[in-house]
Amino acid sequence: MALRMVKGSIDRMFDKNLQDLVRGIRNHKEDEAKYISQCIDEIKQELKQDSIAVKANAVCKLTYLQMLGYDISWAAFNIIEVMSASKFTFKRIGYLAASQCFHEGTDVIMLTTNQIRKDLSSPSQHDTGVALTGLSCFVTPDLARDLANDIMTLMSHTKPYIRKKAVLIMYKVFLKHPESLRPAFPRLKEKLEDPDPGVQSAAVNVICELARRNPKNYLSLAPLFFKLMTSSTNNWVLIKIIKLFGALTPLEPRLGKKLIEPLTNLIHSTSAMSLLYECVNTVIAVLISLSSGMPNHSASIQLCVQKLRILIEDSDQNLKYLGLLAMSKILKTHPKSVQSHKDLILQCLDDKDESIRLRALDLLYGMVSKKSLMEIVKKLMAHVDKAEGTTYRDELLTKIIDICSQSNYQHITNFEWYISILVELTRLEGTRHGHLIAAQMLDVAIRVKAIRKFAVAQMSVLLDSAPLVASSTQRNGICEVLYAAAWICGEFSEHLQEPQRTLEAMLRPKVTTLPGHIQAVYVQNVLKLYASILQQEEQAGQPEAAQQATQLLLERLPQFVQSADLEVQERASCILQLVKHVQKLQAKAVPVAEELSALFAGELNPVAPKAQKKVPVPEGLDLDAWINEPPSDSDSEDERPKAMFHEEEQRHAKPRQAEVDEEELARRREARRQEQASNPFYIKSSPSPHKRYQDAPGVEHIPVVQIDLSVPLKVPGLPLSEQYVKLEEERRHRQKLEKDKRKKRKKEKRGRRRHGSLPTESDEDIAPAQQVDIVTEEMPENALPSDEDDKDPNDPYRALDIDLDKPLADSEKLPVLKHRNAQAPKPPEKEDVPVVEKKSKKPKKKEKTHKERSRKREEGRKGDDLDFWLSTTPPPAAAPSPAAATVQLGVSAVTAPKDDSEVTRREQVADEDDEALEPKKSTQKKKKHKKEKEERGKDKKSKKRRPEREEATEPVQNGAPQEEPLPPMSSYCPLAENAYVKMTYDVQGSLQEDSQVTVSVILENHSRSLLKNMELSVLDSLNTKMARPEGSSVHDGVPVPFQLPPGVSNEAQFVFSVQSIVMAQKLKGTLSFIAKDEDGATQEKLDFKLHFSCSSYLLTTPCCSDAFAKLLESGDLSVSSIKVDGISMSFQNLLARICFHHHFSVVERVDSCASMYSRSIQGHHVCLLVKKGESSVSVDGKCSDATMLGNLLEEVKGTLAQC
Amino acid sequence: MIKAILIFNNHGKPRLSKFYQPYSEDTQQQIIRETFHLVSKRDENVCNFLEGGLLIGGSDNKLIYRHYATLYFVFCVDSSESELGILDLIQVFVETLDKCFENVCELDLIFHVDKVHNILAEMVMGGMVLETNMNEIVTQIDAQNKLEKSEQITYTGLFCIGQDFSRAGLAGAPARAVSAVKNMNLPEIPRNINIGDISIKVPNLPSFK
């Protein structure tokens, strides 16, 4: 034993260490590979030894070799051995090697689980640290699942060094094991406020990374981050937080408002450029989110753009780059603001730095308009000419095509110009993007009918020009354009000037040097061309010329028959036989042209990408079901086929025939035929066979070959695109003059507008040169609109889109290995896990509905906290009905941010104006606000949902242009008040039941006693009755389902059924309750009168203007009108008030005139036409019930009179 | 997230490669070659950001690099990282190396790539920035070195004999990166920009009634 140890250490003396290895490699420059393989052999020997030091040394060397590109995965097991060494030095070597070469596919990785767990709980912080670092690089889903709990424990370690590593690694764990996110999140959140700045920074890092992918789940953390932002001094953390806010503001514009000030402070105070830049970036994001939808506020954006311009003009290249980068963010939402800086962007195109040029190119994409397109492309073409380096030139080429083709060629007014640009691009040497140009040529020729003649002419010149064909022998992608050229010339051959010449060009021997797929297209289109020549000549009565063409084909086609490419060969021999047959017929002077061209009759339409995928599966069709029964294995080989089909026939045909009679069959056949007729994808069996063509030219699949050409290519006889630029300018000028004339002649029809284009204001004047008719891409009928196309189902971050505010369920607990954990520092663990367990037991016993309700309440509360933080003024004192709130919560995931923004705006205004206008109300509110704050502090459980009724019945959403912020409005009106309690109420029509209304009563206890046993009794009228619990009599009250501690308010709902809703009504009622304080309990009563206005029976119902017009035309509505004078409120607010208080929605608004619509719970239509004069407002109403209309208008009048 | 950290010299020889996403060895070498190709052809006074790098992830990614004497330090990051922040981080990294190696030069990186890895591990962990405070990093490294030394007493000095003359032999040739680091002035903020005014123009809300 002792001898062995001595031997080991002597061996080691002669071992190479890492430095020796490096030196050796440097000394063997000429036979490095040989030397290294020698070393690897030595290493293998060393790994066989027992001494861990030797092994560690070997692994250390392997790590170095891995960097040089040698695969060391064979040593994975040895690496694990070294990882498990007791000495830190070796352990670190092992973990480093593992982090460099382990990945999910490493099979021995599962062996590490226990070793890592042991290291994680090691008393030495270095061991733990090194294990965490290693694990962060090679964590697998299994490791993540098994170790999540151990790491979570470490997040509360006593040493900040471990804490910060544990926090950071959690992100990797979440990625690999998304289920661990929810259980770990509370602790992670806690770490945001860790006393150690490093831990804090790590937590910020992790949450920012999480929130970047799914920002909406982290909105509720905004207040916390805001606090951090104002308190932290670590620039790194600040940058992360500010970037995060940049991602959050689009979801919550109110947040943006809050951010502006601290961001401005930072901008002024910081000396770190990185921080400053991120601040500016986020300010931009804030401004964009605030100003979107408010076009009037683009002035601030304009300012930002100007500031960015300063950055871009800076001499520091980094700032220039970042300025352009930030600019592109603005471009997405405010293209016009950026467009004015075109000069600067174009200037950047000349920059020597490629990064900057590429950024500028990106910006150009969004800056083109109909006016500027030609000019910009011209400039880009000039760059193409002088660009050195193919990468940048190819980038330019793709950008030119992108710019021109964006949104259905929106900006192209002259397609002749575009075709000539494409043709000019074919002169590029050695570009990889021949297929791109080809695809564009095909697309334009197919979709723009008017351009075909011109395109065919150009393409025939391309086919004729030798250099392109010649270039194909070298490695070049540009010959791809010949594919398009040949196809266009063949398909639209009727437009060819000299078809014979083109035919000859396509049959030149040189063509055989082209790639196979292009030759195939040539051969196929030769036949098309031939068919059209025959037709022309036969019509002209020149059979000789036709025979000449036949002869030419017969001579030249054999060269394709010999092609090595199967496709070419097959097509060529097929066509050759056909032509031979034609020749025979021609010899007998039989006219054949008609039949031949019938082969290619019909129009080809473009099909939208993914159209096939979007064809809906017909109902009742199960694509996974067997059409034939799968053959059973027991059948013997020879008799199987027969038996299978025989059986099939019996099984399927027989029962059907029994059921379906002839008539039914005929009917079905007819239905099917009709369906097929309207189905663009069904190839009809009409007498003339339809031609098909390989839709997307399979160019992408062809290996792209590159070519170096020494001689620049030139295509002779091609018009320069510049000519077109000039022509177009002249044309525009003429057009403008004409237009001016026309204007003088007053109204006339507008200039022709192209289908599918959306001209901007300045562009409107320019009409396209040709009558351009863009054939839109076809989609299958009832195609399923699916947005999921863009989403990558493999996105690892999608799994992390998890609602973090839901309480934990039992199943979500992290797996705990109990016997191992015994040594781990455990106390903090206990805090979380038991809670989880407790919660999990309860819900099972309780009703499901209750569980849901409590969850929703919780959500509401969470929303509240954020709202509370975000709003600067207290929201109106009323609370919404739970029903409305729940409905709204369900929807709010999508709509809430928008709604909230309006609320803020309103509240902001309220802040400024309420004090001046309604001082009483405002102070009252403030008191309430204070009170609520106290509540919050005292008793969290009594927290109630905050009123957001405005959102639920948001009026302005309905399409009225949002120009102005709206005042805060509450539909809750006071009901009654005494020393103990204050009641406010709101009446809402029920959406489900047609003659029910829901009365929401807010009870606010402003005494010092506890109010309990509350009961509401109402005297029913003939028309209106209160819904009472089953079994109770008409005189019984309805109990209020809660008690009110001092200072607390809550809301109760009562349902009333109404028979006639055409009249407003009042009901008398009493609230009885017991007030209990230290001195004792007293029985108290409060009388009230419930007012059911006609408006409260209306439901906000959106209506489109067409339906509205029809309704008005129908003539069975009675008419009435009112006029109110002395109104100074803006029309916008006026409408909002009517919408809000009377549950109308705006159908259309033109200047100071608006039509509005609503529907009663019993289905009466109510239409209003509101007109604003100088200081008066007139309202004309139409309604299916005259009484109701009269009453409604009175109520509207009342509202308007307050304005 | 940081996707990869590469250090190579002016000839494209890798001095350190750290990938935070798994790639095969061949792909790693290809990435290093491609990155070197992209970075090395750029002039000295152009910006430090580079888009592209086809191999290492899509359009979201960027190469951010600094060139010190004979070495390129390249970070490949996605859009969650601040560009200028990463530039600063590279600076911190180099300064930390300088502290730990006492006047760092390319040779230190050549012979002690394991140590460079250890230093980096204290700064960036699994692609996320762990620590940006240089003193904190150096403290940890010192503590680890101390621990290492205490462990090595039993293994005598045999193990690190080579280290001492490694620099003596070849140190003459490569230029010193250190001085470059020290004098490198970080982009100064153009004070005249005065971006702060923006806030004033924030949507002015028209008053109600």
Side-chain angles (χ1 to χ4, degrees):
Chain A
M1 183 73 184
L3 188 73
R4 216 206 207 159
M5 271 183 72
V6 172
K7 192 168 167 271
S9 65
I10 290 171
D11 275 352
R12 220 179 46 245
M13 260 165 69
F14 301 105
D15 285 344
K16 283 194 195 90
N17 63 15
L18 175 61
Q19 282 74 36
D20 300 328
L21 175 76
V22 174
R23 198 167 301 118
I25 292 174
R26 286 164 71 88
N27 289 337
H28 290 77
K29 283 226 166 81
E30 49 304 323
D31 54 348
E32 193 183 291
K34 195 180 153 208
Y35 179 77
I36 289 178
S37 75
Q38 229 173 45
C39 291
I40 290 181
D41 286 343
E42 284 171 24
I43 289 170
K44 281 183 178 162
Q45 288 304 316
E46 287 169 24
L47 286 175
K48 281 183 190 148
Q49 296 198 18
D50 288 336
S51 160
I52 196 73
V54 177
K55 272 184 187 162
N57 186 36
V59 166
C60 184
K61 287 190 280 185
L62 279 178
T63 312
Y64 180 79
L65 293 177
Q66 194 272 344
M67 183 180 78
L68 300 184
Y70 290 85
D71 177 26
I72 59 162
S73 56
W74 52 269
F77 189 77
N78 303 102
I79 292 173
I80 295 180
E81 279 182 299
V82 177
M83 275 161 74
S84 56
S86 57
K87 288 218 157 35
F88 170 74
T89 320
F90 303 145
K91 198 183 278 298
R92 187 165 67 172
I93 290 171
Y95 271 105
L96 174 61
S99 74
Q100 291 294 84
C101 77
F102 281 11
H103 51 88
E104 274 179 37
T106 309
D107 45 1
V108 290
I109 210 163
M110 60 186 189
L111 300 177
T112 59
T113 317
N114 277 317
Q115 179 57 43
I116 295 173
R117 182 173 285 133
K118 211 173 113 194
D119 288 336
L120 289 184
S121 52
S122 152
S124 154
Q125 67 160 339
H126 295 293
D127 284 353
T128 314
V130 99
L132 283 172
T133 307
L135 186 61
S136 73
C137 290
F138 58 79
V139 61
T140 63
D142 285 344
L143 282 177
R145 189 193 57 230
D146 295 340
L147 296 171
N149 199 58
D150 303 70
I151 298 170
M152 217 166 102
T153 315
L154 291 180
M155 280 166 76
S156 314
H157 200 271
T158 46
K159 297 217 170 70
Y161 176 72
I162 299 300
R163 281 211 300 275
K164 82 181 167 190
K165 285 196 167 190
V167 168
L168 212 53
I169 202 179
M170 273 325 259
Y171 178 66
K172 292 276 176 167
V173 173
F174 296 151
L175 269 188
K176 299 287 177 189
H177 183 62
E179 290 82 357
S180 59
L181 175 55
R182 292 197 353 97
F185 193 71
R187 192 169 297 180
L188 184 62
K189 202 168 139 188
E190 204 178 284
K191 294 297 144 199
L192 282 176
E193 294 173 296
D194 196 277
D196 183 82
V199 182
Q200 228 180 47
S201 152
V204 168
N205 246 336
V206 171
I207 291 182
C208 286
E209 205 58 57
L210 287 168
R212 196 166 73 96
R213 308 292 178 171
N214 305 295
K216 66 173 194 305
N217 297 342
Y218 300 87
L219 256 181
S220 57
L221 290 182
L224 199 53
F225 276 114
F226 190 82
K227 209 176 93 193
L228 274 180
M229 181 174 82
T230 41
S231 61
S232 176
T233 51
N234 181 341
N235 280 353
W236 189 264
V237 171
L238 284 173
I239 286 174
K240 283 277 169 190
I241 295 176
I242 287 164
K243 274 192 103 98
L244 174 69
F245 276 134
L248 290 182
T249 39
L251 303 178
E252 179 55 272
R254 285 185 283 172
L255 182 62
K257 287 193 158 295
K258 264 200 118 88
L259 285 174
I260 288 286
E261 197 202 319
L263 284 180
T264 318
N265 289 345
L266 272 177
I267 288 173
H268 284 304
S269 62
T270 184
S271 62
M273 193 61 204
S274 45
L275 181 57
L276 186 128
Y277 172 72
E278 293 306 334
C279 286
V280 173
N281 237 337
T282 299
V283 167
I284 289 171
V286 167
L287 288 179
I288 286 174
S289 79
L290 286 178
S291 64
S292 59
M294 293 193 294
N296 298 346
H297 287 111
S298 58
S300 43
I301 290 287
Q302 201 59 47
L303 189 71
C304 268
V305 174
Q306 274 160 18
K307 298 291 177 194
L308 286 179
R309 192 186 165 106
I310 300 174
L311 271 188
I312 296 171
E313 281 169 339
D314 196 272
S315 60
D316 185 331
Q317 295 281 315
N318 284 343
L319 295 185
K320 186 178 275 212
Y321 174 89
L322 293 174
L324 289 169
L325 195 65
M327 195 80 112
S328 65
K329 278 178 198 151
I330 300 182
L331 185 74
K332 276 179 205 138
T333 50
H334 297 78
K336 275 201 192 135
S337 321
V338 184
Q339 264 162 20
S340 53
H341 300 278
K342 200 174 73 193
D343 56 318
L344 183 69
I345 311 292
L346 285 174
Q347 200 183 313
C348 287
L349 272 186
D350 295 321
D351 201 283
K352 61 179 187 300
D353 187 346
E354 199 174 295
S355 294
I356 286 174
R357 288 199 303 254
L358 287 175
R359 279 274 127 240
L361 264 183
D362 249 14
L363 277 172
L364 271 186
Y365 177 80
M367 287 177 47
V368 289
S369 63
K370 280 186 184 170
K371 262 185 191 162
S372 58
L373 176 73
M374 283 183 159
E375 182 200 340
I376 288 179
V377 171
K378 187 179 154 192
K379 182 114 200 226
L380 290 180
M381 290 297 281
H383 277 280
V384 171
D385 282 343
K386 65 184 176 193
E388 74 271 330
T390 44
T391 353
Y392 179 59
R393 208 172 45 183
D394 281 355
E395 186 64 30
L396 272 170
L397 191 153
T398 36
K399 267 283 137 46
I400 290 176
I401 288 177
D402 275 357
I403 287 173
C404 291
S405 63
Q406 66 174 306
S407 41
N408 257 351
Y409 307 102
Q410 188 192 330
H411 301 300
I412 296 184
T413 51
N414 188 333
F415 277 92
E416 291 187 10
W417 163 82
Y418 186 44
I419 293 273
S420 54
I421 286 284
L422 288 176
V423 171
E424 267 178 54
L425 286 175
T426 63
R427 293 186 312 198
L428 275 187
E429 300 158 30
T431 177
R432 290 184 293 122
H433 291 308
H435 60 277
L436 255 182
I437 304 176
Q440 281 294 298
M441 285 172 169
L442 284 172
D443 199 39
V444 171
I446 294 169
R447 292 174 62 188
V448 187
K449 282 187 181 145
I451 202 64
R452 284 182 191 164
K453 188 164 185 194
F454 179 82
V456 167
Q458 293 293 306
M459 293 304 123
S460 65
V461 177
L462 268 187
L463 285 179
D464 218 9
S465 68
L468 271 179
V469 182
S471 72
S472 67
T473 46
Q474 295 149 358
R475 303 172 299 125
N476 195 341
I478 200 65
C479 61
E480 290 293 338
V481 295
L482 291 174
Y483 179 104
W487 190 87
I488 292 170
C489 283
E491 183 64 27
F492 308 117
S493 48
E494 67 270 18
H495 298 299
L496 269 178
Q497 292 292 328
E498 298 172 281
Q500 273 93 350
R501 191 178 158 162
T502 312
L503 186 68
E504 219 184 303
M506 284 170 79
L507 287 168
R508 278 191 202 131
K510 264 202 168 171
V511 171
T512 51
T513 57
L514 287 171
H517 68 282
I518 299 180
Q519 281 187 57
V521 170
Y522 263 70
V523 172
Q524 184 74 8
N525 285 285
V526 158
L527 188 62
K528 289 185 200 166
L529 197 50
Y530 171 63
S532 90
I533 290 176
L534 278 196
Q535 188 145 28
Q536 274 175 24
E537 301 300 351
E538 271 184 23
Q539 273 166 6
Q542 293 174 310
E544 297 83 24
Q547 277 165 4
Q548 260 177 18
T550 314
Q551 200 53 44
L552 181 72
L553 250 67
L554 287 176
E555 272 170 29
R556 300 280 177 83
L557 275 175
Q559 65 189 355
F560 293 107
V561 178
Q562 295 159 5
S563 169
D565 191 284
L566 263 186
E567 180 78 19
V568 180
Q569 200 186 43
E570 193 185 358
R571 286 191 193 195
S573 28
C574 201
I575 290 168
L576 187 61
Q577 291 312 313
L578 186 69
V579 175
K580 276 181 183 161
H581 184 66
V582 169
Q583 194 191 24
K584 273 182 212 159
L585 292 176
Q586 271 180 335
K588 293 180 206 160
V590 182
V592 282
E594 199 68 35
E595 277 175 62
L596 203 57
S597 48
L599 285 176
F600 305 108
E603 179 89 348
L604 290 175
N605 287 326
V607 176
K610 293 179 188 155
Q612 185 69 46
K613 220 167 83 186
K614 297 210 171 184
V615 179
V617 178
E619 217 172 299
L621 175 65
D622 182 5
L623 289 174
D624 296 326
W626 285 93
I627 297 173
N628 291 326
E629 283 301 310
S632 61
D633 294 333
S634 59
D635 277 358
S636 77
E637 284 288 307
D638 12 6
E639 66 177 9
R640 208 201 306 173
K642 229 185 182 178
M644 200 172 86
F645 283 108
H646 187 59
E647 264 180 303
E648 263 326 289
E649 256 172 319
Q650 279 182 337
R651 200 170 295 156
H652 276 277
K654 261 192 182 169
R656 248 194 215 167
Q657 269 170 352
E659 285 168 24
V660 185
D661 54 336
E662 268 306 297
E663 234 177 298
E664 172 71 8
L665 270 180
R667 201 178 54 75
R668 282 193 196 169
R669 215 172 289 141
E670 184 52 37
R672 192 167 59 235
R673 205 172 292 142
Q674 276 181 353
E675 198 193 303
Q676 284 165 1
S678 57
N679 185 349
F681 302 101
Y682 189 81
I683 301 155
K684 290 153 198 130
S685 57
S686 50
S688 70
H690 256 240
K691 61 188 152 175
R692 281 180 275 169
Y693 93 109
Q694 271 69 21
D695 172 35
V699 268
E700 289 91 336
H701 308 295
I702 296 145
V704 176
V705 271
Q706 282 182 332
I707 191 171
D708 326 314
L709 249 200
S710 45
V711 192
L713 299 170
K714 255 190 193 151
V715 185
L718 291 176
L720 275 172
S721 57
E722 288 211 15
Q723 284 177 314
Y724 284 95
V725 176
K726 270 181 206 150
L727 283 175
E728 177 69 11
E729 268 162 21
E730 280 169 30
R731 187 183 70 82
R732 281 183 193 175
H733 186 64
R734 270 203 312 276
Q735 211 172 33
K736 209 182 157 199
L737 287 179
E738 245 172 75
K739 208 161 202 186
D740 291 345
K741 265 188 220 160
R742 244 186 281 162
K743 261 184 197 165
K744 278 173 200 162
R745 271 186 259 147
K746 280 188 180 173
K747 282 181 193 169
E748 266 239 56
K749 267 190 184 174
R750 268 217 187 132
R752 286 162 295 177
R753 176 105 43 89
R754 198 174 70 224
H755 170 73
S757 71
L758 296 162
T760 50
E761 280 173 318
S762 59
D763 287 344
E764 234 171 351
D765 301 339
I766 308 165
Q770 297 92 0
Q771 176 72 48
V772 185
D773 157 36
I774 291 203
V775 186
T776 42
E777 292 165 323
E778 284 182 32
M779 278 300 247
E781 269 179 284
N782 24 323
L784 302 164
S786 57
D787 305 324
E788 300 205 347
D789 293 347
D790 325 323
K791 284 183 190 165
D792 177 10
N794 299 323
D795 183 7
Y797 306 105
R798 242 173 110 182
L800 284 178
D801 189 358
I802 295 168
D803 185 356
L804 296 165
D805 298 300
K806 266 193 287 183
L808 282 173
D810 193 23
S811 55
E812 287 180 299
K813 236 174 26 170
L814 288 176
V816 188
L817 267 190
K818 300 242 160 59
H819 61 287
R820 276 281 173 200
N821 260 10
Q823 306 144 332
K826 220 179 172 181
E829 169 96 18
K830 277 175 187 162
E831 289 168 15
D832 275 18
V833 182
V835 174
V836 171
E837 279 166 349
K838 252 186 238 164
K839 263 191 186 163
S840 62
K841 275 178 196 166
K842 274 184 194 166
K844 274 181 196 164
K845 288 177 193 165
K846 285 187 183 171
E847 280 172 303
K848 217 181 177 184
T849 45
H850 178 76
K851 199 169 142 194
E852 272 169 29
R853 210 184 304 145
S854 69
R855 192 174 63 79
K856 273 176 184 153
R857 201 165 289 162
E858 196 132 324
E859 269 175 39
R861 202 192 303 155
K862 151 219 157 191
D864 266 1
D865 289 344
L866 184 65
D867 284 345
F868 176 74
W869 177 73
L870 285 167
S871 58
T872 41
T873 39
S881 67
T886 37
V887 169
Q888 177 203 331
L889 277 173
V891 188
S892 64
V894 198
T895 57
K898 192 183 163 197
D899 294 354
D900 287 353
S901 70
E902 264 144 25
V903 177
T904 351
R905 264 179 251 141
R906 271 186 247 143
E907 282 168 358
Q908 284 276 333
V909 176
D911 212 12
E912 296 157 15
D913 301 318
D914 267 12
E915 280 172 53
L917 282 170
E918 301 162 294
K920 264 185 200 167
K921 203 176 166 190
S922 142
T923 44
Q924 204 178 2
K925 269 186 195 167
K926 271 189 184 153
K927 260 185 216 159
K928 242 168 244 160
H929 179 48
K930 255 184 208 164
K931 224 182 262 173
E932 270 171 12
K933 259 190 184 166
E934 283 162 18
E935 267 169 46
R936 245 163 233 276
K938 269 188 217 158
D939 183 4
K940 275 197 176 174
K941 274 179 193 167
S942 71
K943 233 191 273 174
K944 58 162 186 66
R945 250 160 302 131
R946 209 150 274 281
E948 283 170 89
R949 167 53 58 77
E950 295 98 312
E951 293 165 40
T953 49
E954 185 54 66
V956 212
Q957 272 170 322
N958 292 317
Q962 172 86 33
E963 290 156 354
E964 264 177 275
L966 292 169
M969 285 185 277
S970 165
S971 58
Y972 283 76
C973 24
L975 185 59
E977 190 173 0
N978 65 7
Y980 292 98
V981 66
K982 184 184 164 188
M983 299 169 76
T984 50
Y985 79 110
D986 177 41
V987 187
Q988 289 284 320
S990 152
L991 288 163
Q992 287 86 24
E993 298 287 328
D994 54 357
S995 50
Q996 278 194 356
V997 289
T998 309
V999 178
S1000 315
V1001 183
I1002 297 173
L1003 301 157
E1004 189 184 347
N1005 182 357
H1006 50 207
S1007 68
R1008 292 199 175 169
S1009 10
L1010 171 74
L1011 305 185
K1012 55 182 200 174
N1013 292 7
M1014 287 187 283
E1015 212 176 70
L1016 197 85
S1017 42
V1018 176
L1019 278 178
D1020 290 354
S1021 73
L1022 277 178
N1023 193 30
T1024 312
K1025 292 185 171 63
M1026 188 176 188
R1028 297 184 168 82
E1030 257 177 79
S1032 50
S1033 82
V1034 199
H1035 306 289
D1036 289 346
V1038 176
V1040 178
F1042 48 78
Q1043 300 186 342
L1044 282 182
V1048 170
S1049 66
N1050 204 340
E1051 184 182 88
Q1053 285 193 320
F1054 306 93
V1055 177
F1056 289 79
S1057 59
V1058 193
Q1059 276 183 349
S1060 162
I1061 59 163
V1062 297
M1063 301 249 277
Q1065 4 210 333
K1066 276 184 182 163
L1067 287 185
K1068 273 188 189 167
T1070 316
L1071 176 78
S1072 57
F1073 54 89
I1074 295 172
K1076 195 179 170 190
D1077 53 15
E1078 295 102 40
D1079 313 329
T1082 47
Q1083 176 90 32
E1084 296 288 341
K1085 257 169 63 174
L1086 176 61
D1087 291 330
F1088 57 83
K1089 257 186 197 173
L1090 267 175
H1091 181 76
F1092 293 85
S1093 66
C1094 272
S1095 306
S1096 57
Y1097 301 128
L1098 293 184
L1099 296 170
T1100 312
T1101 320
C1103 180
C1104 70
S1105 51
D1106 292 345
F1108 188 76
K1110 256 185 207 154
L1111 196 62
L1112 289 181
E1113 281 164 16
S1114 68
D1116 38 32
L1117 304 180
S1118 42
V1119 191
S1120 177
S1121 58
I1122 50 158
K1123 195 170 178 189
V1124 185
D1125 288 320
I1127 288 179
S1128 53
M1129 184 187 268
S1130 79
F1131 192 54
Q1132 173 71 25
N1133 283 336
L1134 210 77
L1135 290 182
R1137 288 217 164 196
I1138 297 176
C1139 284
F1140 183 72
H1141 290 292
H1142 304 287
H1143 309 160
F1144 275 89
S1145 61
V1146 176
V1147 181
E1148 223 172 351
R1149 183 184 155 186
V1150 183
D1151 297 330
S1152 58
C1153 186
S1155 47
M1156 309 176 90
Y1157 175 80
S1158 185
R1159 208 173 62 89
S1160 78
I1161 50 172
Q1162 291 179 349
H1164 302 102
H1165 301 286
V1166 191
C1167 309
L1168 294 186
L1169 182 67
V1170 187
K1171 281 183 259 180
K1172 188 172 191 308
E1174 276 290 290
S1175 65
S1176 69
V1177 172
S1178 69
V1179 183
D1180 299 307
K1182 279 192 172 187
C1183 175
S1184 18
D1185 189 291
T1187 334
M1188 183 166 187
L1189 180 62
N1191 290 323
L1192 266 176
L1193 286 181
E1194 275 312 304
E1195 286 167 19
V1196 173
K1197 195 172 180 176
T1199 310
L1200 291 179
Q1202 289 168 19
C1203 296
Chain B
M1 284 274 282
I2 299 170
K3 306 280 176 180
I5 294 171
L6 305 174
I7 304 176
F8 43 73
N9 71 359
N10 287 348
H11 306 290
K13 285 247 185 242
R15 294 300 174 218
L16 174 121
S17 68
K18 183 85 204 169
F19 291 89
Y20 294 104
Q21 280 172 335
Y23 291 104
S24 74
E25 273 75 16
D26 287 342
T27 323
Q28 290 186 1
Q29 291 304 307
Q30 241 175 308
I31 291 172
I32 294 171
R33 270 197 302 273
E34 189 195 53
T35 313
F36 169 70
H37 184 71
L38 284 171
V39 168
S40 62
K41 70 177 180 198
R42 291 174 63 80
D43 290 340
E44 272 305 308
N45 49 355
V46 294
C47 72
N48 300 68
F49 317 118
L50 201 54
E51 280 155 73
L54 298 166
L55 283 166
I56 198 156
S59 54
D60 199 29
N61 288 358
K62 241 181 221 135
L63 297 176
I64 298 173
Y65 73 98
R66 268 182 189 275
H67 189 196
Y68 293 101
T70 59
L71 291 175
Y72 284 99
F73 288 72
V74 186
F75 280 45
C76 178
V77 302
D78 68 12
S79 62
S80 74
E81 301 295 343
S82 145
E83 290 87 353
L84 293 173
I86 293 290
L87 274 185
D88 289 347
L89 188 72
I90 299 179
Q91 180 71 20
V92 171
F93 183 32
V94 173
E95 281 181 32
T96 314
L97 287 178
D98 191 44
K99 265 202 178 160
C100 294
F101 284 106
E102 288 163 12
N103 279 356
V104 69
C105 67
E106 193 186 341
L107 273 186
D108 294 316
L109 271 67
I110 294 173
F111 286 106
H112 303 288
V113 66
D114 52 340
K115 288 190 178 167
V116 182
H117 267 297
N118 295 337
I119 293 167
L120 185 61
E122 294 305 318
M123 247 176 83
V124 181
M125 190 177 124
M128 291 197 286
V129 176
L130 180 69
E131 185 59 70
T132 50
N133 184 343
M134 197 169 21
N135 295 331
E136 192 73 23
I137 300 168
V138 174
T139 318
Q140 283 304 328
I141 292 294
D142 285 348
Q144 287 179 15
N145 288 344
K146 215 179 261 174
L147 180 63
E148 197 179 358
K149 253 185 201 145
S150 72
E151 284 177 352
Q152 266 173 0
I153 291 169
T154 47
Y155 283 87
T156 59
L158 275 176
F159 212 65
C160 40
I161 269 181
Q163 284 182 8
D164 298 320
F165 54 88
S166 64
R167 194 177 297 179
L170 294 145
R176 294 245 153 150
V178 210
S179 47
V181 172
K182 293 280 157 61
N183 303 335
M184 181 97 183
N185 24 349
L186 297 172
E188 268 296 90
I189 309 152
R191 274 288 109 191
N192 54 343
I193 289 186
N194 207 7
I195 293 149
D197 325 13
I198 290 168
S199 62
I200 300 160
K201 292 282 179 180
V202 171
N204 41 349
L205 300 157
S207 56
F208 155 56
K209 198 171 176 183

